Amino acid sequence: MREQSSYLQKKAENFAEWIGFYRQNPHRFMEDYFGTHLHPFQRFLFYMMNKDDKFMYIAARGLKLVV
């Protein structure tokens, strides 16, 4: 019983570490969890949306991406 309790406690600690990591890196969460590829400006946008309470991005329809 103690082994299971120790295992669950370790698993909860690891889970808490990943939560903290993804809260600080929302762009990595998008790439890892959803399996998408983000362009550098999209990574920056996700990062800034997470860091500031007030965020506005005015997107243009003619946005061209060079891959």
Side-chain angles (χ1 to χ4, degrees), residues 24-40:
Q24 293 176 359
N25 301 287
H27 55 286
R28 292 186 188 266
F29 176 76
M30 290 295 293
E31 290 180 333
D32 293 347
Y33 189 77
F34 293 110
T36 62
H37 169 74
L38 298 176
H39 295 281

Side-chain angles (χ1 to χ4, degrees), residues 10-56:
K10 182 66 174 171
K11 190 172 180 178
E13 289 172 5
N14 288 340
F15 191 65
E17 286 182 32
W18 277 110
I19 289 172
F21 174 77
Y22 282 132
R23 283 185 179 166
Q24 293 176 359
N25 301 287
H27 55 286
R28 292 186 188 266
F29 176 76
M30 290 295 293
E31 290 180 333
D32 293 347
Y33 189 77
F34 293 110
T36 62
H37 169 74
L38 298 176
H39 295 281
F41 82 95
Q42 291 171 318
R43 290 184 192 125
F44 178 73
L45 291 176
F46 275 112
Y47 180 79
M48 291 307 295
M49 281 189 266
N50 189 45
K51 292 296 176 189
D52 198 1
D53 292 338
K54 297 176 183 75
F55 179 84
M56 180 172 52

